[in-house]
Amino acid sequence: MDNELFEKAPIPKAYFSLAMPVVLSMLVTLVYNMVDTYFIAHTGNTDMVAGVSLTAPVFTVMIALGDIFGLGGSSVISRLFGQHRFADGKRLSAFCFYAAIATGLLILVLGLAFRDPMLALLGATDDTWQYASDFYTLIIVGSPFIIVSMTPSNLLRTEGHAVQSMIGSVAGTAVNIVLNPLFIHGFGWGAAGSAGATVIANICTDAISSGSRCVTAATCPSTRGPSSTARAGVWRSRPGRSGASSPSASPRRSRTSRRASASS
């Protein structure tokens, strides 16, 4: 965690250091969501555009599931760091990451098992079925990477490394913009090419964000405070507390004993 930013930097500097990269990441995400439709629309195939649009809610659900562990976990972790419970924050961070992977694998299995009912529920017709199926299948195959991509990027922001998080988002969007026309028009893969470009872009975001997360965790100095046992030992060893002999109390007891002996 960037203690310098959170504990010592002026509030305006800390605010803009965190806010500006997040705003840029949101703008990049907006472009990211438009890329698939833009390049598919250039094919002039209205059925392909409709098929991809029908399966867009599946991608949105994956983003929402990723935000459960990314945004939700970050909220709890930030409060733990504020209480200086750094070990608990690290454990929760690891839980969010692996829970996102497990959720992605579950979506992968269920999505492939119920592919035809899902396509029918989404409204695919005979004209759009093949395009919707191509896009849906590859998006489901890449669901672990899509869901996980939301976790390390948000955890980086929680620890004050908003720039590294932004770099991962921008890199993923750039890869998507480059690969979409190549796969759709260059290789002629159509809707499947668009989905493949989206999955590869998310893999790049995962790699960059997870790598930055590992680097920041490795270089972060230990911020763990004294343990409760150590604090209890210091408390018990203080002079004048019960269970410990006080050096200043011994002379008083000796003088009291001598006075009692003299009076008797």
Side-chain angles (χ1 to χ4, degrees), residues 62-90:
M62 293 179 188
I63 297 299
L65 291 173
D67 282 340
I68 291 176
F69 306 105
L71 295 177
S74 296
S75 175
V76 180
I77 291 171
S78 62
R79 281 176 277 174
L80 292 174
F81 284 169
Q83 298 170 2
H84 285 227
R85 295 167 58 185
F86 301 105
D88 292 338
K90 291 178 180 178

PDB file of all heavy atoms in Angstrom, residues 62-90:
ATOM      1  N   MET A  62     -20.784 -10.724 -16.894  1.00  0.00           N
ATOM      2  CA  MET A  62     -19.427 -11.084 -16.458  1.00  0.00           C
ATOM      3  C   MET A  62     -18.733  -9.906 -15.780  1.00  0.00           C
ATOM      4  O   MET A  62     -18.048 -10.070 -14.768  1.00  0.00           O
ATOM      5  CB  MET A  62     -18.605 -11.553 -17.663  1.00  0.00           C
ATOM      6  CG  MET A  62     -19.074 -12.853 -18.264  1.00  0.00           C
ATOM      7  SD  MET A  62     -18.057 -13.314 -19.683  1.00  0.00           S
ATOM      8  CE  MET A  62     -18.984 -14.725 -20.301  1.00  0.00           C
ATOM      9  N   ILE A  63     -18.916  -8.710 -16.344  1.00  0.00           N
ATOM     10  CA  ILE A  63     -18.325  -7.523 -15.733  1.00  0.00           C
ATOM     11  C   ILE A  63     -18.919  -7.299 -14.346  1.00  0.00           C
ATOM     12  O   ILE A  63     -18.217  -6.950 -13.386  1.00  0.00           O
ATOM     13  CB  ILE A  63     -18.558  -6.286 -16.629  1.00  0.00           C
ATOM     14  CG1 ILE A  63     -17.869  -6.464 -17.974  1.00  0.00           C
ATOM     15  CG2 ILE A  63     -18.057  -5.025 -15.938  1.00  0.00           C
ATOM     16  CD1 ILE A  63     -16.374  -6.639 -17.898  1.00  0.00           C
ATOM     17  N   ALA A  64     -20.234  -7.511 -14.213  1.00  0.00           N
ATOM     18  CA  ALA A  64     -20.889  -7.340 -12.915  1.00  0.00           C
ATOM     19  C   ALA A  64     -20.362  -8.346 -11.896  1.00  0.00           C
ATOM     20  O   ALA A  64     -20.131  -7.998 -10.728  1.00  0.00           O
ATOM     21  CB  ALA A  64     -22.402  -7.487 -13.074  1.00  0.00           C
ATOM     22  N   LEU A  65     -20.161  -9.585 -12.320  1.00  0.00           N
ATOM     23  CA  LEU A  65     -19.612 -10.593 -11.410  1.00  0.00           C
ATOM     24  C   LEU A  65     -18.184 -10.237 -10.999  1.00  0.00           C
ATOM     25  O   LEU A  65     -17.792 -10.431  -9.846  1.00  0.00           O
ATOM     26  CB  LEU A  65     -19.641 -11.972 -12.083  1.00  0.00           C
ATOM     27  CG  LEU A  65     -21.026 -12.587 -12.303  1.00  0.00           C
ATOM     28  CD1 LEU A  65     -20.917 -13.869 -13.125  1.00  0.00           C
ATOM     29  CD2 LEU A  65     -21.705 -12.877 -10.968  1.00  0.00           C
ATOM     30  N   GLY A  66     -17.407  -9.730 -11.949  1.00  0.00           N
ATOM     31  CA  GLY A  66     -16.053  -9.306 -11.605  1.00  0.00           C
ATOM     32  C   GLY A  66     -16.041  -8.150 -10.622  1.00  0.00           C
ATOM     33  O   GLY A  66     -15.178  -8.078  -9.737  1.00  0.00           O
ATOM     34  N   ASP A  67     -17.015  -7.256 -10.739  1.00  0.00           N
ATOM     35  CA  ASP A  67     -17.085  -6.111  -9.820  1.00  0.00           C
ATOM     36  C   ASP A  67     -17.444  -6.528  -8.404  1.00  0.00           C
ATOM     37  O   ASP A  67     -17.152  -5.801  -7.450  1.00  0.00           O
ATOM     38  CB  ASP A  67     -18.117  -5.094 -10.330  1.00  0.00           C
ATOM     39  CG  ASP A  67     -17.575  -4.242 -11.463  1.00  0.00           C
ATOM     40  OD1 ASP A  67     -16.336  -4.157 -11.590  1.00  0.00           O
ATOM     41  OD2 ASP A  67     -18.377  -3.664 -12.227  1.00  0.00           O
ATOM     42  N   ILE A  68     -18.103  -7.678  -8.250  1.00  0.00           N
ATOM     43  CA  ILE A  68     -18.401  -8.159  -6.901  1.00  0.00           C
ATOM     44  C   ILE A  68     -17.104  -8.323  -6.111  1.00  0.00           C
ATOM     45  O   ILE A  68     -17.014  -7.918  -4.947  1.00  0.00           O
ATOM     46  CB  ILE A  68     -19.167  -9.495  -6.963  1.00  0.00           C
ATOM     47  CG1 ILE A  68     -20.572  -9.273  -7.517  1.00  0.00           C
ATOM     48  CG2 ILE A  68     -19.242 -10.142  -5.577  1.00  0.00           C
ATOM     49  CD1 ILE A  68     -21.353 -10.562  -7.696  1.00  0.00           C
ATOM     50  N   PHE A  69     -16.107  -8.913  -6.748  1.00  0.00           N
ATOM     51  CA  PHE A  69     -14.832  -9.149  -6.059  1.00  0.00           C
ATOM     52  C   PHE A  69     -13.878  -7.974  -6.210  1.00  0.00           C
ATOM     53  O   PHE A  69     -13.043  -7.758  -5.326  1.00  0.00           O
ATOM     54  CB  PHE A  69     -14.181 -10.429  -6.618  1.00  0.00           C
ATOM     55  CG  PHE A  69     -15.078 -11.626  -6.576  1.00  0.00           C
ATOM     56  CD1 PHE A  69     -15.679 -12.109  -7.731  1.00  0.00           C
ATOM     57  CD2 PHE A  69     -15.348 -12.257  -5.375  1.00  0.00           C
ATOM     58  CE1 PHE A  69     -16.523 -13.207  -7.692  1.00  0.00           C
ATOM     59  CE2 PHE A  69     -16.195 -13.355  -5.320  1.00  0.00           C
ATOM     60  CZ  PHE A  69     -16.784 -13.833  -6.483  1.00  0.00           C
ATOM     61  N   GLY A  70     -14.005  -7.236  -7.320  1.00  0.00           N
ATOM     62  CA  GLY A  70     -13.116  -6.094  -7.522  1.00  0.00           C
ATOM     63  C   GLY A  70     -13.523  -4.892  -6.704  1.00  0.00           C
ATOM     64  O   GLY A  70     -12.792  -4.451  -5.807  1.00  0.00           O
ATOM     65  N   LEU A  71     -14.717  -4.358  -6.964  1.00  0.00           N
ATOM     66  CA  LEU A  71     -15.191  -3.178  -6.230  1.00  0.00           C
ATOM     67  C   LEU A  71     -15.614  -3.525  -4.812  1.00  0.00           C
ATOM     68  O   LEU A  71     -15.294  -2.804  -3.858  1.00  0.00           O
ATOM     69  CB  LEU A  71     -16.359  -2.544  -6.990  1.00  0.00           C
ATOM     70  CG  LEU A  71     -16.024  -1.951  -8.362  1.00  0.00           C
ATOM     71  CD1 LEU A  71     -17.282  -1.423  -9.035  1.00  0.00           C
ATOM     72  CD2 LEU A  71     -14.996  -0.848  -8.234  1.00  0.00           C
ATOM     73  N   GLY A  72     -16.355  -4.633  -4.657  1.00  0.00           N
ATOM     74  CA  GLY A  72     -16.799  -5.020  -3.320  1.00  0.00           C
ATOM     75  C   GLY A  72     -15.637  -5.354  -2.400  1.00  0.00           C
ATOM     76  O   GLY A  72     -15.586  -4.902  -1.246  1.00  0.00           O
ATOM     77  N   GLY A  73     -14.695  -6.141  -2.918  1.00  0.00           N
ATOM     78  CA  GLY A  73     -13.529  -6.481  -2.101  1.00  0.00           C
ATOM     79  C   GLY A  73     -12.684  -5.266  -1.786  1.00  0.00           C
ATOM     80  O   GLY A  73     -12.174  -5.125  -0.667  1.00  0.00           O
ATOM     81  N   SER A  74     -12.542  -4.356  -2.733  1.00  0.00           N
ATOM     82  CA  SER A  74     -11.740  -3.157  -2.502  1.00  0.00           C
ATOM     83  C   SER A  74     -12.332  -2.292  -1.395  1.00  0.00           C
ATOM     84  O   SER A  74     -11.602  -1.678  -0.615  1.00  0.00           O
ATOM     85  CB  SER A  74     -11.647  -2.343  -3.794  1.00  0.00           C
ATOM     86  OG  SER A  74     -10.959  -3.063  -4.787  1.00  0.00           O
ATOM     87  N   SER A  75     -13.668  -2.233  -1.333  1.00  0.00           N
ATOM     88  CA  SER A  75     -14.307  -1.441  -0.286  1.00  0.00           C
ATOM     89  C   SER A  75     -13.955  -1.961   1.093  1.00  0.00           C
ATOM     90  O   SER A  75     -13.621  -1.188   2.003  1.00  0.00           O
ATOM     91  CB  SER A  75     -15.834  -1.459  -0.498  1.00  0.00           C
ATOM     92  OG  SER A  75     -16.495  -0.805   0.561  1.00  0.00           O
ATOM     93  N   VAL A  76     -14.006  -3.278   1.255  1.00  0.00           N
ATOM     94  CA  VAL A  76     -13.687  -3.871   2.559  1.00  0.00           C
ATOM     95  C   VAL A  76     -12.193  -3.745   2.857  1.00  0.00           C
ATOM     96  O   VAL A  76     -11.787  -3.421   3.978  1.00  0.00           O
ATOM     97  CB  VAL A  76     -14.130  -5.346   2.598  1.00  0.00           C
ATOM     98  CG1 VAL A  76     -13.791  -5.973   3.950  1.00  0.00           C
ATOM     99  CG2 VAL A  76     -15.623  -5.462   2.329  1.00  0.00           C
ATOM    100  N   ILE A  77     -11.361  -3.972   1.844  1.00  0.00           N
ATOM    101  CA  ILE A  77      -9.910  -3.919   2.042  1.00  0.00           C
ATOM    102  C   ILE A  77      -9.467  -2.514   2.444  1.00  0.00           C
ATOM    103  O   ILE A  77      -8.604  -2.342   3.301  1.00  0.00           O
ATOM    104  CB  ILE A  77      -9.189  -4.380   0.763  1.00  0.00           C
ATOM    105  CG1 ILE A  77      -9.417  -5.880   0.558  1.00  0.00           C
ATOM    106  CG2 ILE A  77      -7.695  -4.081   0.832  1.00  0.00           C
ATOM    107  CD1 ILE A  77      -8.943  -6.390  -0.784  1.00  0.00           C
ATOM    108  N   SER A  78     -10.058  -1.489   1.821  1.00  0.00           N
ATOM    109  CA  SER A  78      -9.673  -0.115   2.173  1.00  0.00           C
ATOM    110  C   SER A  78      -9.988   0.189   3.636  1.00  0.00           C
ATOM    111  O   SER A  78      -9.223   0.874   4.314  1.00  0.00           O
ATOM    112  CB  SER A  78     -10.388   0.878   1.249  1.00  0.00           C
ATOM    113  OG  SER A  78     -11.791   0.782   1.400  1.00  0.00           O
ATOM    114  N   ARG A  79     -11.107  -0.340   4.133  1.00  0.00           N
ATOM    115  CA  ARG A  79     -11.436  -0.122   5.546  1.00  0.00           C
ATOM    116  C   ARG A  79     -10.481  -0.881   6.458  1.00  0.00           C
ATOM    117  O   ARG A  79     -10.107  -0.388   7.530  1.00  0.00           O
ATOM    118  CB  ARG A  79     -12.885  -0.552   5.808  1.00  0.00           C
ATOM    119  CG  ARG A  79     -13.910   0.487   5.362  1.00  0.00           C
ATOM    120  CD  ARG A  79     -15.325  -0.005   5.548  1.00  0.00           C
ATOM    121  NE  ARG A  79     -15.741  -0.841   4.439  1.00  0.00           N
ATOM    122  CZ  ARG A  79     -16.889  -1.496   4.393  1.00  0.00           C
ATOM    123  NH1 ARG A  79     -17.724  -1.426   5.406  1.00  0.00           N
ATOM    124  NH2 ARG A  79     -17.215  -2.214   3.350  1.00  0.00           N
ATOM    125  N   LEU A  80     -10.084  -2.079   6.048  1.00  0.00           N
ATOM    126  CA  LEU A  80      -9.113  -2.832   6.845  1.00  0.00           C
ATOM    127  C   LEU A  80      -7.768  -2.115   6.892  1.00  0.00           C
ATOM    128  O   LEU A  80      -7.122  -2.047   7.950  1.00  0.00           O
ATOM    129  CB  LEU A  80      -8.940  -4.232   6.266  1.00  0.00           C
ATOM    130  CG  LEU A  80     -10.147  -5.177   6.383  1.00  0.00           C
ATOM    131  CD1 LEU A  80      -9.870  -6.476   5.640  1.00  0.00           C
ATOM    132  CD2 LEU A  80     -10.465  -5.466   7.844  1.00  0.00           C
ATOM    133  N   PHE A  81      -7.338  -1.563   5.768  1.00  0.00           N
ATOM    134  CA  PHE A  81      -6.086  -0.813   5.756  1.00  0.00           C
ATOM    135  C   PHE A  81      -6.193   0.438   6.619  1.00  0.00           C
ATOM    136  O   PHE A  81      -5.228   0.839   7.268  1.00  0.00           O
ATOM    137  CB  PHE A  81      -5.715  -0.436   4.321  1.00  0.00           C
ATOM    138  CG  PHE A  81      -5.154  -1.576   3.521  1.00  0.00           C
ATOM    139  CD1 PHE A  81      -4.978  -1.466   2.150  1.00  0.00           C
ATOM    140  CD2 PHE A  81      -4.805  -2.767   4.133  1.00  0.00           C
ATOM    141  CE1 PHE A  81      -4.460  -2.511   1.405  1.00  0.00           C
ATOM    142  CE2 PHE A  81      -4.295  -3.822   3.398  1.00  0.00           C
ATOM    143  CZ  PHE A  81      -4.119  -3.695   2.040  1.00  0.00           C
ATOM    144  N   GLY A  82      -7.360   1.073   6.604  1.00  0.00           N
ATOM    145  CA  GLY A  82      -7.543   2.244   7.453  1.00  0.00           C
ATOM    146  C   GLY A  82      -7.449   1.916   8.934  1.00  0.00           C
ATOM    147  O   GLY A  82      -7.039   2.754   9.734  1.00  0.00           O
ATOM    148  N   GLN A  83      -7.806   0.686   9.302  1.00  0.00           N
ATOM    149  CA  GLN A  83      -7.681   0.228  10.686  1.00  0.00           C
ATOM    150  C   GLN A  83      -6.317  -0.383  10.972  1.00  0.00           C
ATOM    151  O   GLN A  83      -6.101  -0.928  12.046  1.00  0.00           O
ATOM    152  CB  GLN A  83      -8.778  -0.805  10.969  1.00  0.00           C
ATOM    153  CG  GLN A  83     -10.185  -0.268  10.844  1.00  0.00           C
ATOM    154  CD  GLN A  83     -11.236  -1.369  10.881  1.00  0.00           C
ATOM    155  OE1 GLN A  83     -10.919  -2.547  11.043  1.00  0.00           O
ATOM    156  NE2 GLN A  83     -12.495  -0.986  10.735  1.00  0.00           N
ATOM    157  N   HIS A  84      -5.418  -0.308   9.997  1.00  0.00           N
ATOM    158  CA  HIS A  84      -4.067  -0.883  10.090  1.00  0.00           C
ATOM    159  C   HIS A  84      -4.099  -2.403  10.265  1.00  0.00           C
ATOM    160  O   HIS A  84      -3.178  -2.982  10.836  1.00  0.00           O
ATOM    161  CB  HIS A  84      -3.276  -0.230  11.240  1.00  0.00           C
ATOM    162  CG  HIS A  84      -2.808   1.155  10.901  1.00  0.00           C
ATOM    163  ND1 HIS A  84      -1.526   1.591  11.122  1.00  0.00           N
ATOM    164  CD2 HIS A  84      -3.444   2.204  10.342  1.00  0.00           C
ATOM    165  CE1 HIS A  84      -1.400   2.850  10.727  1.00  0.00           C
ATOM    166  NE2 HIS A  84      -2.567   3.234  10.245  1.00  0.00           N
ATOM    167  N   ARG A  85      -5.133  -3.031   9.726  1.00  0.00           N
ATOM    168  CA  ARG A  85      -5.216  -4.496   9.737  1.00  0.00           C
ATOM    169  C   ARG A  85      -4.716  -4.995   8.374  1.00  0.00           C
ATOM    170  O   ARG A  85      -5.459  -5.509   7.561  1.00  0.00           O
ATOM    171  CB  ARG A  85      -6.651  -4.930  10.015  1.00  0.00           C
ATOM    172  CG  ARG A  85      -7.139  -4.536  11.384  1.00  0.00           C
ATOM    173  CD  ARG A  85      -8.643  -4.693  11.536  1.00  0.00           C
ATOM    174  NE  ARG A  85      -9.086  -6.054  11.288  1.00  0.00           N
ATOM    175  CZ  ARG A  85     -10.364  -6.415  11.270  1.00  0.00           C
ATOM    176  NH1 ARG A  85     -11.316  -5.513  11.481  1.00  0.00           N
ATOM    177  NH2 ARG A  85     -10.703  -7.671  11.044  1.00  0.00           N
ATOM    178  N   PHE A  86      -3.415  -4.825   8.161  1.00  0.00           N
ATOM    179  CA  PHE A  86      -2.838  -5.081   6.851  1.00  0.00           C
ATOM    180  C   PHE A  86      -2.837  -6.565   6.504  1.00  0.00           C
ATOM    181  O   PHE A  86      -3.033  -6.938   5.351  1.00  0.00           O
ATOM    182  CB  PHE A  86      -1.425  -4.516   6.788  1.00  0.00           C
ATOM    183  CG  PHE A  86      -1.353  -3.041   7.033  1.00  0.00           C
ATOM    184  CD1 PHE A  86      -0.886  -2.536   8.229  1.00  0.00           C
ATOM    185  CD2 PHE A  86      -1.791  -2.159   6.071  1.00  0.00           C
ATOM    186  CE1 PHE A  86      -0.841  -1.164   8.461  1.00  0.00           C
ATOM    187  CE2 PHE A  86      -1.741  -0.792   6.285  1.00  0.00           C
ATOM    188  CZ  PHE A  86      -1.273  -0.301   7.484  1.00  0.00           C
ATOM    189  N   ALA A  87      -2.613  -7.424   7.487  1.00  0.00           N
ATOM    190  CA  ALA A  87      -2.603  -8.862   7.214  1.00  0.00           C
ATOM    191  C   ALA A  87      -3.981  -9.344   6.773  1.00  0.00           C
ATOM    192  O   ALA A  87      -4.107 -10.146   5.844  1.00  0.00           O
ATOM    193  CB  ALA A  87      -2.154  -9.623   8.464  1.00  0.00           C
ATOM    194  N   ASP A  88      -5.031  -8.840   7.422  1.00  0.00           N
ATOM    195  CA  ASP A  88      -6.390  -9.209   7.018  1.00  0.00           C
ATOM    196  C   ASP A  88      -6.700  -8.702   5.606  1.00  0.00           C
ATOM    197  O   ASP A  88      -7.363  -9.381   4.819  1.00  0.00           O
ATOM    198  CB  ASP A  88      -7.406  -8.623   8.003  1.00  0.00           C
ATOM    199  CG  ASP A  88      -7.323  -9.273   9.376  1.00  0.00           C
ATOM    200  OD1 ASP A  88      -6.818 -10.409   9.451  1.00  0.00           O
ATOM    201  OD2 ASP A  88      -7.748  -8.651  10.359  1.00  0.00           O
ATOM    202  N   GLY A  89      -6.220  -7.495   5.289  1.00  0.00           N
ATOM    203  CA  GLY A  89      -6.434  -6.959   3.951  1.00  0.00           C
ATOM    204  C   GLY A  89      -5.761  -7.798   2.887  1.00  0.00           C
ATOM    205  O   GLY A  89      -6.325  -8.029   1.806  1.00  0.00           O
ATOM    206  N   LYS A  90      -4.554  -8.283   3.161  1.00  0.00           N
ATOM    207  CA  LYS A  90      -3.851  -9.121   2.196  1.00  0.00           C
ATOM    208  C   LYS A  90      -4.566 -10.451   2.000  1.00  0.00           C
ATOM    209  O   LYS A  90      -4.659 -10.960   0.872  1.00  0.00           O
ATOM    210  CB  LYS A  90      -2.419  -9.359   2.667  1.00  0.00           C
ATOM    211  CG  LYS A  90      -1.551  -8.107   2.622  1.00  0.00           C
ATOM    212  CD  LYS A  90      -0.154  -8.394   3.158  1.00  0.00           C
ATOM    213  CE  LYS A  90       0.709  -7.138   3.122  1.00  0.00           C
ATOM    214  NZ  LYS A  90       2.063  -7.394   3.683  1.00  0.00           N
TER     215      LYS A  90
END
